[in-house]
Amino acid sequence: MNKVEIDNNWKGGTLVIPYTVSNDNTTFYTVKTIGKYAFSDALFSGILEISGNITTIEEGSFINNKSLESLIIGNNVTTIGDSAFNNCINI
């Protein structure tokens, strides 16, 4: 499984989960799922925007992100797993 890493201390503004990611700027992968606990316990604050091609937000994906201020979810999300946003007290 490929994992995208972000700066856990990202502060302010908007964090966008992108349509595609690349590990070498040559091969691009479409992002359709946010995996289990992918951003759990992250410390970033601000707005989280989940792009329109995401269809699944798995269990615990953003659990304990206590500093998130706002959430924008694209229209194509059909599944949100258990506790995906548990303890995100500001959204």
Side-chain angles (χ1 to χ4, degrees):
M1 170 187 275
N2 293 321
K3 182 176 179 176
V4 177
E5 293 186 16
I6 64 163
D7 181 353
N8 237 11
N9 295 309
W10 183 85
K11 302 283 188 231
T14 301
L15 176 64
V16 178
I17 306 297
Y19 285 94
T20 60
V21 293
S22 174
N23 61 354
D24 61 7
N25 282 333
T26 316
T27 307
F28 291 86
Y29 303 93
T30 302
V31 179
K32 294 187 181 228
T33 299
I34 300 173
K36 290 182 179 181
Y37 304 98
F39 296 95
S40 63
D41 298 309
L43 301 175
F44 54 81
S45 64
I47 300 167
L48 171 64
E49 183 175 337
I50 298 172
S51 62
N53 62 307
I54 302 288
T55 58
T56 304
I57 301 169
E58 292 187 344
E59 173 186 330
S61 294
F62 296 95
I63 197 168
N64 294 326
N65 278 265
K66 296 177 183 177
S67 297
L68 283 180
E69 298 167 6
S70 184
L71 176 64
I72 301 167
I73 298 179
N75 292 334
N76 291 324
V77 173
T78 57
T79 303
I80 299 177
D82 291 339
S83 301
F85 296 97
N86 192 45
N87 211 19
C88 296
I89 59 177
N90 292 317
I91 58 171

